[in-house]
Amino acid sequence: MRIGLIGTGRIGTFHADVLNRHRDVGSLVVADMDAARAARVADRIGATAAPSVDEIFAWGVDAVVITSATSSHAELISRAARAGLPCFCEKPIALDLPGTLAALREVESAGTVLQLGFMRRFDAGYAAARQLVRSGRLGRLHTVRAITSDPAPPPASFLPLSGGLYRDCLVHDFDILRWVTGREVVEVYATGSDAGPAIFAEAGDIDTAAAVLTLDDGTLATATSTRCNGAGYDVRMELAGELDQFAVGLDDRTPITSTEPKGPPPCDNSWPGFLERFAPAYEAELDAFVKVVGGERENPCDGREALHALRIAEACELSRSEHRPVALTEIAGG
């Protein structure tokens, strides 16, 4: 098949490499607002560089992969839908609910496929956790703790475009919480701090956040995130039940040091970032998309899944700003 990839930044370049070597992808066409950057990526991997995004649609492709700037996602999703093309898009669909809902309406009206890039669903640890929850191994699940910590702040220019810490980072935790537990969030209480580098306050964002989430069966979950975790990239989930408990993301690369005399040794090789930590998952989600396009499997993460996660993030933003619990029924799009 012939795939068009739009966006050749860091994640787009990674996806281009994966797609270029996929056995079922016969040719790859790449485009970017920076045509020279797209040409460099194409030259390196032997793909075709398009002069602009327009050629992706005009030259004839079987599917589109969107890894461009967030502000362009909704428009490109809608364009792919109108062209009748299956589409893979990195999260989010849009940074607000109206934009998200409009793009979803385009997809549903066209009857096309939209797969969202929530890569944690393809991580071996999270997949094992999902299976263990469903097996009854924990008994009644009563507590979930989710952590996403970046080793260093992003560039200041990124923050005003990111949507904020809940929509950019914790949205992954919100999605995987639903996917692993099979439950829905019904209420949140969230808070945050901009006490770190001044770039956060200047952008109206926060560098550290915490949320308490109540699931529809009474399970309690916490989700915390920070942009300033100097020990390294740290993504974990702990699940505790009446019979057992287990953790995702706990291994010899977890950037945490025990203070116990007989504790494990300190980590000296922590993950530097998300691409390294989740590289196999990123490859697996694109393999899934190729199979979806080829009619070999069902869509593992459609656009409505992104909507659910975004609604939780929106509820957290409202809770933080108004200092109160927020029910998900208060958020549009349910």
Side-chain angles (χ1 to χ4, degrees), residues 185-267:
V185 175
V186 296
E187 185 180 82
V188 307
Y189 186 85
T191 188
S193 169
D194 62 3
I199 57 173
F200 293 97
E202 292 167 358
D205 197 3
I206 51 178
D207 62 82
T208 302
V212 178
L213 308 101
T214 302
L215 307 191
D216 57 11
D217 64 347
T219 299
L220 296 180
T222 60
T224 62
S225 183
T226 184
R227 301 280 198 186
C228 304
N229 195 57
Y233 184 69
D234 188 10
V235 172
R236 281 177 283 141
M237 174 180 273
E238 300 173 3
L239 300 107
E242 291 183 334
L243 301 180
D244 204 352
Q245 64 177 342
F246 44 80
V248 179
L250 184 62
D251 60 18
D252 61 357
R253 300 196 71 174
T254 304
I256 190 167
T257 300
S258 173
T259 61
E260 297 298 327
K262 295 183 179 181
C267 169

Side-chain angles (χ1 to χ4, degrees), residues 23-253:
R23 63 186 180 279
D24 294 327
V25 177
S27 62
L28 180 66
V29 183
V30 301
D32 194 284
M33 289 290 290
D34 183 344
R37 182 167 69 176
R40 288 193 297 272
V41 171
D43 287 345
R44 181 177 59 81
I45 65 176
T48 301
S52 72
V53 171
D54 291 341
E55 282 77 16
I56 292 285
F57 295 95
W59 287 356
V61 294
D62 299 305
V64 174
V65 172
I66 300 169
T67 59
S68 53
T70 294
S71 59
S72 67
H73 287 186
E75 178 186 354
L76 290 170
I77 289 169
S78 297
R79 189 170 181 180
R82 291 191 294 269
L85 294 172
C87 175
F88 173 95
C89 185
E90 280 298 330
K91 64 83 186 167
I93 294 174
L95 289 177
D96 59 18
L97 284 169
T100 299
L101 291 167
L104 288 175
R105 283 192 293 269
E106 291 268 18
V107 171
E108 290 166 3
S109 175
T112 52
V113 168
L114 170 61
Q115 181 183 329
L116 261 292
F118 282 112
M119 76 292 186
R120 294 187 196 181
R121 293 179 176 222
F122 298 87
D123 176 73
Y126 284 108
R130 174 183 164 96
Q131 180 58 38
L132 285 166
V133 168
R134 282 156 175 72
S135 74
R137 167 89 169 268
L138 281 82
R140 181 182 68 87
L141 179 67
H142 53 70
T143 306
V144 183
R145 306 175 191 92
I147 298 168
T148 294
S149 299
D150 286 336
S157 59
F158 169 77
L159 294 177
L161 309 174
S162 71
L165 194 56
Y166 294 108
R167 298 185 190 94
D168 181 52
C169 275
L170 279 167
V171 72
H172 281 289
D173 296 276
F174 302 150
D175 175 72
I176 205 65
L177 174 64
R178 295 180 59 251
W179 188 75
V180 168
T181 66
R183 313 305 308 191
E184 297 295 342
V185 175
V186 296
E187 185 180 82
V188 307
Y189 186 85
T191 188
S193 169
D194 62 3
I199 57 173
F200 293 97
E202 292 167 358
D205 197 3
I206 51 178
D207 62 82
T208 302
V212 178
L213 308 101
T214 302
L215 307 191
D216 57 11
D217 64 347
T219 299
L220 296 180
T222 60
T224 62
S225 183
T226 184
R227 301 280 198 186
C228 304
N229 195 57
Y233 184 69
D234 188 10
V235 172
R236 281 177 283 141
M237 174 180 273
E238 300 173 3
L239 300 107
E242 291 183 334
L243 301 180
D244 204 352
Q245 64 177 342
F246 44 80
V248 179
L250 184 62
D251 60 18
D252 61 357
R253 300 196 71 174

Side-chain angles (χ1 to χ4, degrees), residues 14-25 28 279 283:
F14 181 93
H15 285 343
D17 285 332
V18 171
L19 290 168
N20 191 60
R21 63 175 180 265
H22 195 286
R23 63 186 180 279
D24 294 327
V25 177
L28 180 66
E283 293 201 31

Side-chain angles (χ1 to χ4, degrees), residues 270-332:
S270 63
W271 296 107
F274 63 91
L275 269 181
E276 295 82 4
R277 165 66 176 85
F278 288 109
Y282 279 116
E283 293 201 31
E285 70 177 0
L286 285 178
D287 180 65
F289 178 63
V290 171
K291 286 183 168 61
V292 169
V293 175
E296 298 178 45
R297 65 170 294 175
E298 295 295 316
N299 188 349
C301 187
D302 69 22
R304 286 284 164 183
E305 299 298 289
L307 174 62
H308 290 311
L310 177 60
R311 291 181 66 244
I312 299 169
E314 293 287 333
C316 287
E317 286 287 6
L318 181 59
S319 176
R320 180 177 73 89
S321 65
E322 298 188 358
H323 303 285
R324 67 175 179 88
V326 172
L328 265 291
T329 53
E330 299 181 50
I331 307 301

